[in-house]
Amino acid sequence: MPLKTFRLFYTFIITSTVLFTACGKSENGLSQGTWRATIKNEAGTEVPFNFEVLDSAGKKVIYILNANDRLKVDDITVTADSAIIKLPLFDSEFRAAFTSDGLTGNWVRHLADKSVSMEFNAERDVKYRFFEEDPETPEQITGRWSSNFISTDGKDTTLAVGEFTQHKSKVTGTFLTTTGDYRFLEGSISQGKLFLSAFDGSNCMLFTGTIDGKNIVDGKLYSGFSSVTNWSAAKDDQAILPDAYSLTTLKPGFSTLAFSFPNLDGKIVSLTDPVYKNKVVIIQFLGTWCPNCMDETAFMTDFYKQYKDRGVEVIGLAFERTSDPIKSKNSIERLQKRFDITYPLLITGYSNKDVLKGIPALQNFNAFPTTIIIDKKGKVNKIHTGFSGPGTGKYYTDFIKEFETHVNHLLTVK
């Protein structure tokens, strides 16, 4: 990618094993306003995003900005020469020292068996994401695009639908896949090139591509520490994905689920418990490491509060990246507090790779989140793979309407 594409930061790297080096007290520190930040991957490619700093009741609060999404971050420690900014839910943090322009340091992501560190820089009082100017462009990509993501070795292909909205050179939108969506993407078009990025505390992504009429070619998706995926797209207003209710099934001979897992208080919860008798029950398969699961959890929390007194129950089955019950409980408790979840969250004791061991009635399991609807007779009625969150616009509102209509129907069935 040409060096002129992005504004460069001339800073030093702080490793994850050394917290800070002294660089002098900054007069502005973590000042209020909009900042421009970049995270640099192993290949040296910079992923830009913006965040806003506010003072709230004498404390610093940060909102990470991606299109219409504002992710609140309030676990912040500021000293005279440095800051530690802990991201909610996904067990990652920024560790950075103040410079005359802003911050320089690392984004540290704590995984199940190791931590990964990537260079982080941020400049205060900078509102643009990719380019300072926002001119009219001849290229127009508003609409729906049939898309393909292909691994660099050519072995894995993922079909997707791109949905974009363009104003002058600015672009927002997302890609939908059978396992979920890429959430809120934001970027620009410049000289026939498309640039989109997102950072949400878990995912760090940069999409680039060349716009060639009704095609986008030579696409690259840079994600995480080192992942690179090729992609292309063609304008197609009729592009659709396979039915999300057809991808995950039960094994022959099974009509329901059987499980017994502890909740956060250690009480064993089973689908056969009296509280679930003659109820419509929603089983949510989730992980606190999964951004799409966070979108579904936000929806499901409000849904449960509206439908609980009408005969609907929800059970969350958490499959973490570790089978350690203590680590899992700590992560799930953070999730519960973040979304004010009032339905039970169960510690399955299985990692996200072992769903079929924990729930052997399933024929296959394709994605987190997956949602299973149980009717009032205790039978599996529908299984929905993935979740199209608010970043997908009409797909999200259509899903909510369809989901609530179906649940309302099941409530009327005797």
Side-chain angles (χ1 to χ4, degrees):
M1 188 175 300
L3 292 179
K4 66 180 180 181
T5 300
F6 303 112
R7 183 174 182 175
L8 299 180
F9 290 83
Y10 296 96
T11 55
F12 58 88
I13 299 176
I14 302 176
T15 67
S16 60
T17 56
V18 179
L19 184 58
F20 300 112
T21 57
C23 60
K25 181 178 179 179
S26 169
E27 292 183 1
N28 295 316
L30 195 62
S31 58
Q32 291 193 79
T34 301
W35 294 54
R36 180 182 188 268
T38 61
I39 295 174
K40 184 180 291 187
N41 63 19
E42 184 182 43
T45 302
E46 293 180 327
V47 180
F49 65 97
N50 300 97
F51 62 86
E52 183 181 13
V53 179
L54 299 174
D55 285 319
S56 177
K59 293 184 61 178
K60 296 291 185 183
V61 175
I62 288 174
Y63 288 90
I64 295 176
L65 310 176
N66 294 288
N68 294 326
D69 188 47
R70 292 169 60 87
L71 174 64
K72 184 178 180 180
V73 181
D74 55 12
D75 190 349
I76 304 168
T77 301
V78 178
T79 66
D81 61 1
S82 59
I84 299 176
I85 303 167
K86 294 187 176 181
L87 285 303
L89 301 174
F90 302 121
D91 201 11
S92 71
E93 61 195 2
F94 295 112
R95 294 170 171 251
F98 290 118
T99 68
S100 59
D101 294 325
L103 287 165
T104 184
N106 281 65
W107 175 47
V108 183
R109 188 177 181 195
H110 304 290
L111 305 177
D113 56 351
K114 63 180 179 179
S115 294
V116 176
S117 180
M118 300 169 66
E119 181 181 346
F120 162 75
N121 294 288
E123 187 175 8
R124 61 176 65 86
D125 299 322
V126 178
K127 295 184 177 181
Y128 74 90
R129 197 176 189 94
F130 285 94
F131 309 101
E132 293 187 68
E133 297 181 353
D134 180 23
E136 296 284 354
T137 64
E139 300 83 12
Q140 295 295 318
I141 69 167
T142 295
R144 186 178 300 181
W145 295 72
S146 177
S147 309
N148 287 282
F149 289 82
I150 304 173
S151 61
T152 52
D153 60 10
K155 294 181 179 180
D156 296 318
T157 300
T158 299
L159 300 179
V161 174
E163 283 278 355
F164 305 117
T165 300
Q166 179 179 343
H167 297 285
K168 297 179 71 174
S169 66
K170 298 294 179 66
V171 178
T172 58
T174 194
F175 290 95
L176 298 92
T177 74
T178 56
T179 59
D181 65 276
Y182 281 94
R183 308 187 78 234
F184 297 88
L185 304 179
E186 178 180 348
S188 299
I189 295 173
S190 178
Q191 299 181 356
K193 304 286 186 180
L194 172 65
F195 304 90
L196 294 165
S197 67
F199 174 75
D200 60 12
S202 175
N203 292 324
C204 174
M205 300 178 292
L206 170 68
F207 298 79
T208 66
T210 299
I211 303 171
D212 182 12
K214 293 187 177 181
N215 295 283
I216 301 175
V217 298
D218 300 325
K220 296 287 184 183
L221 163 58
Y222 303 89
S223 61
F225 184 67
S226 59
S227 176
V228 181
T229 303
N230 299 316
W231 70 277
S232 62
K235 190 71 163 37
D236 182 359
D237 292 336
Q238 305 303 315
I240 59 172
L241 293 171
D243 181 10
Y245 288 103
S246 67
L247 301 175
T248 302
T249 59
L250 295 179
K251 289 179 181 177
F254 286 85
S255 61
T256 191
L257 305 181
F259 58 79
S260 295
F261 298 123
N263 63 16
L264 295 175
D265 295 324
K267 179 183 177 181
I268 298 298
V269 175
S270 299
L271 190 57
T272 55
D273 291 345
V275 68
Y276 303 116
K277 186 176 181 180
N278 296 322
K279 300 281 188 69
V280 174
V281 184
I282 313 299
I283 309 296
Q284 180 192 18
F285 288 72
L286 72 148
T288 61
W289 47 270
C290 162
N292 289 132
C293 297
M294 302 306 100
D295 287 337
E296 186 189 50
T297 298
F299 159 70
M300 198 64 71
T301 299
D302 289 338
F303 169 83
Y304 181 60
K305 291 175 181 178
Q306 295 177 42
Y307 279 80
K308 175 177 172 56
D309 293 336
R310 298 179 56 189
V312 175
E313 295 293 338
V314 178
I315 304 173
L317 302 184
F319 291 82
E320 296 300 288
R321 283 185 165 161
T322 173
S323 57
D324 184 322
I326 301 301
K327 290 182 179 180
S328 294
K329 181 180 179 181
N330 290 338
S331 297
I332 299 166
E333 285 179 336
R334 288 195 297 268
L335 174 73
Q336 182 188 47
K337 180 178 179 181
R338 177 78 179 187
F339 290 101
D340 188 27
I341 301 170
T342 55
Y343 55 84
L345 298 172
L346 308 189
I347 306 171
T348 66
Y350 293 92
S351 76
N352 60 307
K353 298 179 181 179
D354 295 324
V355 174
L356 297 182
K357 293 180 181 178
I359 309 294
L362 293 177
Q363 177 78 19
N364 44 41
F365 190 86
N366 294 283
F368 286 93
T370 287
T371 307
I372 298 181
I373 303 175
I374 310 290
D375 66 23
K376 291 195 292 185
K377 295 182 179 180
K379 306 299 183 182
V380 170
N381 179 264
K382 281 191 173 185
I383 302 178
H384 187 279
T385 299
F387 185 77
S388 296
T392 67
K394 187 175 183 296
Y395 290 89
Y396 174 67
T397 55
D398 285 350
F399 168 79
I400 291 175
K401 181 179 179 180
E402 183 275 332
F403 183 83
E404 292 185 344
T405 298
H406 187 68
V407 170
N408 283 323
H409 167 70
L410 291 180
L411 288 172
T412 66
V413 178
K414 295 183 181 180

